[in-house]
Amino acid sequence: MRQPLDPDMFDELCPSALSPFRVGDKWAGMIIRCLEHGPRRFSELRVPLRGITAKVLTQSLRALERDGLITRTTHDEPVRRVEYGLTPLGRSILGPMAVMCDWAQEHWEELLEAREAFPPLGHAG
Amino acid sequence: MRQPLDPDMFDELCPSALSPFRVGDKWAGMIIRCLEHGPRRFSELRVPLRGITAKVLTQSLRALERDGLITRTTHDEPVRRVEYGLTPLGRSILGPMAVMCDWAQEHWEELLEAREAFPPLGHAG
DNA sequence: CAGTATCCTGCTTGATACTG
DNA sequence: CAGTATCAAGCAGGATACTG
């Protein structure tokens, strides 16, 4: 320890930039989890993602599709049907995500408590 | 599979909201990794986080401190010195972060390739 | 050295209305 | 049903200048 930090440590091209906190947008993680147990339709995804608008959901899905994490399949039956599912690459991130979510579950309260105890001084209002 | 999705799946209070993608801000993950091997001074942190301004670094550090992930210690010696270090809670997230970063290292290229291959049609320019 | 104060911009998110 | 188009708001991030 105490060795100097590598200035190139977080070079723009370093995969670390894909750190756990910033792989995708606000909804990316939740969408992936929604697809964990099989493909889902556009309108099915809007149910658990309450509040998401069609536009934003489309944007997020396109981004995930572009990154090779999900697939989009259209079935033009009597009524239009579009299904989204995980690619192998998409499935491969479920493990790491579960690890992070487990951490969150386990330490969620600690984090909230720390927040309430902060700042140590000055609690007007 | 094919069971309906739970509408409450991503209730606001659900710890899943702390999904791997959105625990902190843009710099949070990188800061934590910078502190992995021991405490660092404010100015030391600015080296690897090239481009970060003092304001944004301060904001990120305060947020991490408020969440109980890092500590802030001031030494008022001849010259002012402030050191940031990980709390036990902060250290506990290193594991999950490493898992996610390993995933990124391993699949970084797949992701880039998928991006270049997209969209399948229309590649003017 | 370790910040704070101010101003500013772009991106993400969203509301609303419309379409194949 | 599964989107697209348009407009608008908010906030994170950053540039710059100043301070204990």
Side-chain angles (χ1 to χ4, degrees):
Chain A
M1 45 189 101
R2 249 9 188 130
Q3 66 220 344
L5 293 172
D6 178 4
D8 293 338
M9 198 168 173
F10 294 111
D11 216 344
E12 272 207 283
L13 292 179
C14 173
S16 299
L18 269 184
S19 84
F21 305 108
R22 285 273 156 172
V23 174
D25 59 31
K26 176 175 174 182
W27 304 96
M30 296 194 257
I31 290 172
I32 288 179
R33 296 209 65 170
C34 285
L35 300 177
E36 188 165 357
H37 301 298
R40 302 290 176 182
R41 307 177 57 168
F42 187 85
S43 48
E44 275 183 292
L45 288 172
R46 297 192 66 181
V47 177
L49 272 34
R50 289 176 299 184
I52 197 173
T53 62
K55 189 195 107 184
V56 173
L57 179 54
T58 301
Q59 282 176 355
S60 301
L61 288 169
R62 290 287 183 280
L64 289 169
E65 193 191 354
R66 195 190 54 217
D67 286 352
L69 296 168
I70 67 173
T71 58
R72 176 175 179 278
T73 323
T74 61
H75 310 268
D76 272 345
E77 294 156 3
V79 308
R80 183 142 193 248
R81 222 179 77 223
V82 180
E83 283 204 323
Y84 295 89
L86 293 179
T87 62
L89 182 59
R91 233 170 284 121
S92 75
I93 206 180
L94 287 174
M97 280 187 54
V99 171
M100 192 60 81
C101 287
D102 286 349
W103 181 89
Q105 297 256 354
E106 203 170 328
H107 298 285
W108 174 255
E109 289 194 15
E110 277 179 81
L111 210 138
L112 286 183
E113 283 162 24
R115 249 180 222 188
E116 280 192 38
F118 195 87
L121 305 171
H123 41 78
Chain B
M1 45 189 105
R2 239 44 197 91
Q3 64 220 346
L5 293 172
D6 178 3
D8 293 337
M9 198 168 172
F10 294 111
D11 216 343
E12 271 208 282
L13 292 179
C14 175
S16 300
L18 268 184
S19 85
F21 305 108
R22 283 274 155 175
V23 173
D25 58 34
K26 177 176 174 183
W27 304 97
M30 296 192 256
I31 290 172
I32 288 178
R33 296 208 66 171
C34 285
L35 301 177
E36 188 165 358
H37 301 298
R40 300 289 176 182
R41 305 176 58 167
F42 187 85
S43 48
E44 276 184 292
L45 289 172
R46 296 192 67 180
V47 177
L49 273 34
R50 289 176 300 184
I52 197 172
T53 62
K55 187 196 111 183
V56 172
L57 179 55
T58 301
Q59 281 176 357
S60 301
L61 288 169
R62 290 285 183 282
L64 289 170
E65 193 192 353
R66 195 189 54 216
D67 286 353
L69 296 168
I70 68 174
T71 57
R72 177 176 179 276
T73 322
T74 61
H75 309 267
D76 272 342
E77 296 156 3
V79 308
R80 183 141 192 247
R81 222 179 78 225
V82 180
E83 285 204 324
Y84 295 89
L86 293 178
T87 63
L89 182 59
R91 234 169 283 123
S92 75
I93 205 180
L94 287 174
M97 279 186 54
V99 171
M100 192 60 80
C101 287
D102 287 348
W103 180 90
Q105 296 257 355
E106 203 170 331
H107 299 285
W108 173 256
E109 288 193 16
E110 277 179 82
L111 210 139
L112 285 183
E113 283 162 24
R115 250 181 221 188
E116 280 191 39
F118 195 87
L121 304 172
H123 43 80

